[in-house]
Amino acid sequence: MLFELPKLDYAYNALEPYIDARTMEIHHTKHHAGYTDKLNDALKGTGLENQSIEQILSKVSSLPLAIRNNGGGYYNHNLFWKVMRPAGGGEPSGDLANAIKKVFGSFDSFKKKFSDASATRFGSGWAWLVKTGSGLKVTSTPNQDNPLMDISDTKGTPILALDVWEHAYYLHYQNRRPDYIAAFWNVINWDEVNKRFR
Ligand code: MN3
C-alpha cells in the first residue's frame, strides 16, 4: 500500500453533539477508506508511487481523473480530521488571529465569509481557509478538488477545511447544511490550524 488511511486522534463519538458518531464512522471507514484504496489503485504503474500527495496534486491537470478525485479525497479528509477536536471551537490566538484580523477585519467577518463559502458551494465540495503568498483567502472547490491542485482558481496551502458533501452531514442534519456549518465552529482545532499557518 502506498498511502494509508490515517487513524483518528479521537473516538467517533468525540465530536457529538455537533457531528454524530455514525456519520464519523461511515465517513472515515467507508468514504475516506474508499478514496485511499482507489488512489492507490489509480497510481499503480504511473511512476508516481514515490511522490508525496502534495507533489501529485500539484500536477493533476496532466493526470487521470481518478487521481484528481481520489487524491483530493485522500488529502482533504486527512486535513479535515486534523482540524477538528473534541472541546474545540472558540477563536484562534497568536499569529493566525492577527492575520485573520488583518485580512478579514475581524474574526466574525472571517467566520461569516467562511460560512457563506460553505453554504453557497453548489452540490458537493469543500470550503477552505488558504495560506497564500500574500496572506489568507477563503474559497471553495467542487467535488474533491483543493487549492493545492494546479487546476484550482485559488491556489495556496489549505489550513482549515470543511467537507460540505451530503455524506458529511445528512444522517444527522438531512438537508440543513447551514446547521451543520454552524455546528462546525464548535469543533475546530485552532491549535492545529495555527500550527499549519506558521
Ligand atoms: Mn467526505
Side-chain angles (χ1 to χ4, degrees), residues 27 31-32 35 73 77 80-81 125-126 144 163-165 167-168:
H27 204 169
H31 293 274
H32 195 187
Y35 296 122
H77 291 88
F80 186 47
W81 310 136
W126 290 76
Q144 295 294 353
D163 187 344
V164 295
W165 283 58
H167 69 228

Side-chain angles (χ1 to χ4, degrees), residues 34-110:
Y35 296 122
T36 308
D37 291 345
K38 287 176 192 162
L39 172 63
N40 288 329
D41 285 346
L43 287 172
K44 275 180 198 151
T46 60
L48 298 167
E49 287 89 341
N50 294 319
Q51 300 199 359
S52 70
I53 189 65
E54 289 86 357
Q55 287 176 302
I56 292 168
L57 295 179
S58 72
K59 54 194 166 197
V60 287
S61 64
S62 62
L63 299 174
L65 187 60
I67 295 179
R68 173 173 164 181
N69 288 339
N70 294 295
Y74 172 74
Y75 175 92
N76 296 348
H77 291 88
N78 285 359
L79 176 60
F80 186 47
W81 310 136
K82 284 289 185 188
V83 298
M84 296 192 291
R85 73 168 193 206
E91 295 187 16
S93 59
D95 296 344
L96 178 59
N98 294 335
I100 285 175
K101 197 170 179 188
K102 187 175 167 197
V103 174
F104 303 104
S106 67
F107 178 76
D108 283 346
S109 59
F110 156 69

